[in-house]
Amino acid sequence: MGVLSNNDMGELRLQLPESSHNAVARLVRQPWLWCILLLAAGVRFYGFTASAIWCDEGSSLMLSAYPLAEIWSHASHDVHPPLYFMLLHGWMAMFGDSLASIRSLSVLPGIATVMLGMWLVRLVATQRAALLAGLLLALLPTAVRYSQEVRMYALLGVWLIAATIALVYWIKAPHSYRYPLIYTLLMAAAFYTHYFTAFCVIAHWLYLLLCGRATRWLIKRPAWWLANVAIVLLFLPWLPGLVDLLQHMAELKSGGDVGWEPAVDARSLPAMLWQLLTQDEGDSLPWPLFWLPPLALLGSMVWMALRDATPHKFTSLIVIYTLLPILAIYAVSFASPLFIERYVMFAALGLPLLVAIAVDRLLTHKRALAIAILALFIGTEAVGLRSNFSSDADHFDRLVEHVNQQFKPGDRIVVSDLFWYFSFVYYNKTGFEPMLYTPPLEDGTSGRPNDYGFGTLVNGHGQTIYVDRLSDLPPGPGRVWLISSKVQPDDFSSIPVAWHKARDLSVDDTQARLYLTCPGAECGAEPEWSQLDAKAHP
């Protein structure tokens, strides 16, 4: 009988549930763990308020501002379930709606995910692998990016990694009722956060089915079926809204809330991996460099799963958790494009965990190769973090602040489309409810939003904010602010010839134009713009 290595001994010790608790306790006492969490906090808090609120974040804020019952109702017409918006509603009630406050609700789950990633790896591998996983997950560019947005993606990562941990504990202690209960609650919370939780459920089922008798027996236990039935029952109150949403997918597509992503092709998969790791799709790379590293990464993960000889094949669990959602969403996107970075971010969290496990194993026999892989992965992540931190911040807030300063009672504000409308509402301090430009479509049909997608947030008061033609504006003192992008042709397809532009201000790719719709003497003196121009064009 051969002598077992330290890693083998660790794997054997982890088969007992008591050793799992002890291993995690020892991990928590490691000073390096707390250093890694500080690093995760540092990169996520760094510059997290530099960029202005953008459209999707603005829609989160507008939806979360409703009372809880109305959040439930409006979210049933939106493309995402209501839990994140309800939590954001309570968060803003306690901590306010400052940019630092609202984005912290994503930063904190992002940091928690790093801790959970170390926890998961410690359950299935060594303490060294767990610390390496924490380091690599702390620096994962896509995780950092979506820890700085007022959206639900960081929270989804917490639920699904935690549910996977609960599944591991359950497999190790199959007679415990605590772990199936925890698993049920976490998966239900995930479903109420994002519909793509379904891909994680499929991954867990596939792992149990494919990874041998040591795990397949769990499917035969009543507790597994009861847990899955309980998840469905907990989700049933939301099911009518989901069914209604699916029935109106055509309206969602017509409103631009789904189906706007370009169709996928063979290059889309490696491009996604580059995007997740470097925040760039790699289009400028030579073709060998574009194709080979992503394919090598995918092949290595498959190889790790096939070579997993441990009794419970937990490494295979992480491989399936990572690969199945990415590959499944990629495949589905050939029919309906959904292959979007933020939608697969929860699965990408498994990439650094697998690299850490592989490096830890290679350090025993192939130290040079292990160090090279570790350095290469960290270097790739550094490129992505640099891209995150050095990319030009959006300063739409400056443009709105200029309008706030120069606004006069009786002025009207018209925003060219919903992309800018939600952000403008967040920064607006004028006391005037901005109007939304809704010109008829080329075929003469109405250009107003429908009741689904973003339209559910504005249709309730559409009669007071929709402007189909600028000439239809109700009589007023004669000053109108037009807020739009700087693209050509002009977002405002037809500006009345009698209007006279007093001034315009450009910030990044947006502009605010002040028009006088009456003779200058009647409209009053023009605002002083010289200092504003200096700020807008440093």
Side-chain angles (χ1 to χ4, degrees):
M1 182 176 181
V3 178
L4 294 176
S5 68
N6 290 336
N7 283 352
D8 294 331
M9 291 295 295
E11 292 286 355
L12 291 175
R13 286 195 297 269
L14 283 172
Q15 304 314 310
L16 297 175
E18 293 79 13
S19 67
S20 297
H21 296 294
N22 293 336
V24 172
R26 289 194 297 272
L27 176 65
V28 171
R29 290 194 294 266
Q30 272 287 318
W32 283 110
L33 177 140
W34 301 103
C35 292
I36 289 169
L37 292 180
L38 285 174
L39 174 64
V43 296
R44 283 158 178 78
F45 276 114
Y46 179 78
F48 79 125
T49 61
S51 192
I53 291 291
W54 74 289
C55 173
D56 281 13
E57 293 180 297
S59 71
S60 295
L61 294 167
M62 185 171 286
L63 179 51
S64 301
Y66 284 104
L68 291 179
E70 294 186 41
I71 291 176
W72 182 277
S73 174
H74 284 292
S76 68
H77 285 185
D78 190 29
V79 294
H80 298 298
L83 180 58
Y84 172 77
F85 307 114
M86 290 180 165
L87 293 176
L88 182 57
H89 175 92
W91 184 270
M92 292 191 294
M94 290 188 294
F95 303 109
D97 65 350
S98 69
L99 196 55
S101 168
I102 57 181
R103 284 190 173 152
S104 292
L105 186 59
S106 295
V107 171
L108 296 178
I111 299 168
T113 301
V114 175
M115 178 64 221
L116 291 171
M118 288 189 281
W119 187 348
L120 176 58
V121 173
R122 186 61 189 97
L123 292 175
V124 306
T126 68
Q127 180 168 276
R128 181 175 64 186
L131 292 174
L132 287 173
L135 174 63
L136 299 181
L137 187 52
L139 300 176
L140 184 65
T142 190
V144 173
R145 174 179 178 179
Y146 292 106
S147 294
Q148 297 181 332
E149 282 201 0
V150 189
R151 296 296 279 172
M152 69 291 297
Y153 305 109
L155 182 64
L156 180 66
V158 167
W159 299 139
L160 296 183
I161 293 292
T164 304
I165 291 172
L167 179 61
V168 170
Y169 272 111
W170 190 3
I171 290 171
K172 292 185 175 187
H175 299 290
S176 171
Y177 292 102
R178 174 174 41 176
Y179 302 124
L181 176 61
I182 294 172
Y183 179 84
T184 299
L185 295 176
L186 289 168
M187 292 303 292
F191 269 112
Y192 274 102
T193 302
H194 201 282
Y195 297 120
F196 279 13
T197 296
F199 290 105
C200 182
V201 172
I202 296 171
H204 287 169
W205 273 85
L206 191 63
Y207 158 71
L208 293 174
L209 285 169
L210 296 182
C211 291
R213 287 178 295 178
T215 57
R216 196 179 301 136
W217 58 266
L218 184 63
I219 294 180
K220 300 178 182 179
R221 294 184 65 88
W224 173 252
W225 289 92
L226 287 173
N228 282 268
V229 169
I231 294 169
V232 174
L233 291 176
L234 288 171
F235 195 66
L236 275 182
W238 186 249
L239 197 58
L242 175 58
V243 171
D244 181 65
L245 185 70
L246 293 174
Q247 290 174 342
H248 291 84
M249 285 297 291
E251 294 182 52
L252 276 167
K253 290 183 178 180
S254 67
D257 293 301
V258 295
W260 48 266
E261 185 73 5
V264 297
D265 56 24
R267 292 176 58 87
S268 299
L269 184 58
M272 177 61 74
L273 293 176
W274 282 118
Q275 180 71 31
L276 294 169
L277 295 175
T278 68
Q279 296 297 281
D280 184 282
E281 293 187 350
D283 291 333
S284 61
L285 295 174
W287 73 263
L289 187 58
F290 174 81
W291 285 96
L292 292 179
L295 293 178
L297 182 60
L298 293 173
S300 298
M301 287 189 285
V302 172
W303 180 252
M304 289 177 68
L306 294 175
R307 296 284 295 176
D308 187 1
T310 58
H312 293 123
K313 299 186 182 297
F314 287 133
T315 300
S316 299
L317 170 61
I318 302 176
V319 171
I320 296 172
Y321 170 91
T322 304
L323 282 187
L324 184 136
I326 293 175
L327 296 178
I329 296 170
Y330 173 59
V332 168
S333 294
F334 281 94
S336 178
L338 292 169
F339 202 46
I340 306 165
E341 180 193 3
R342 55 186 178 270
Y343 288 173
V344 300
M345 191 278 287
F346 74 90
L349 298 174
L351 292 173
L353 309 187
L354 293 168
V355 172
I357 293 172
V359 167
D360 177 62
R361 292 174 179 173
L362 288 171
L363 280 170
T364 305
H365 304 295
K366 300 179 180 179
R367 188 176 185 84
L369 177 60
I371 293 173
I373 292 174
L374 181 63
L376 182 61
F377 197 83
I378 291 177
T380 303
E381 289 186 319
V383 171
L385 289 176
R386 181 184 179 187
S387 177
N388 274 343
F389 298 147
S390 63
S391 59
D392 292 336
D394 180 13
H395 300 116
F396 185 69
D397 55 323
R398 298 181 186 176
L399 182 141
V400 184
E401 181 57 28
H402 299 333
V403 176
N404 289 336
Q405 293 173 2
Q406 298 299 317
F407 186 86
K408 291 185 177 182
D411 286 4
R412 275 78 56 82
I413 303 170
V414 184
V415 183
S416 64
D417 57 47
L418 282 172
F419 188 87
W420 304 114
Y421 186 83
F422 296 125
S423 303
F424 192 97
V425 168
Y426 174 72
Y427 291 109
N428 179 36
K429 307 298 181 187
T430 64
F432 176 84
E433 183 179 30
M435 298 177 174
L436 178 64
Y437 186 52
T438 54
L441 303 178
E442 291 183 359
D443 60 5
T445 58
S446 173
R448 296 184 175 188
N450 54 54
D451 287 329
Y452 291 85
F454 287 157
T456 187
L457 303 177
V458 291
N459 255 359
H461 49 136
Q463 294 304 315
T464 61
I465 68 169
Y466 292 157
V467 177
D468 293 345
R469 299 171 185 82
L470 295 179
S471 58
D472 293 340
L473 281 173
R479 286 167 40 115
V480 178
W481 298 86
L482 300 183
I483 312 298
S484 67
S485 67
K486 294 192 297 186
V487 299
Q488 293 297 327
D490 196 330
D491 290 345
F492 291 98
S493 57
S494 178
I495 298 176
V497 294
W499 289 19
H500 303 285
K501 184 166 66 174
R503 294 281 181 172
D504 63 63
L505 174 72
S506 296
V507 175
D508 297 331
D509 58 351
T510 55
Q511 59 182 338
R513 290 170 285 177
L514 177 62
Y515 278 87
L516 309 180
T517 65
C518 58
E522 297 178 19
C523 290
E526 294 182 9
E528 177 59 53
W529 285 77
S530 58
Q531 293 182 353
L532 300 182
D533 289 336
K535 292 179 181 178
H537 305 284

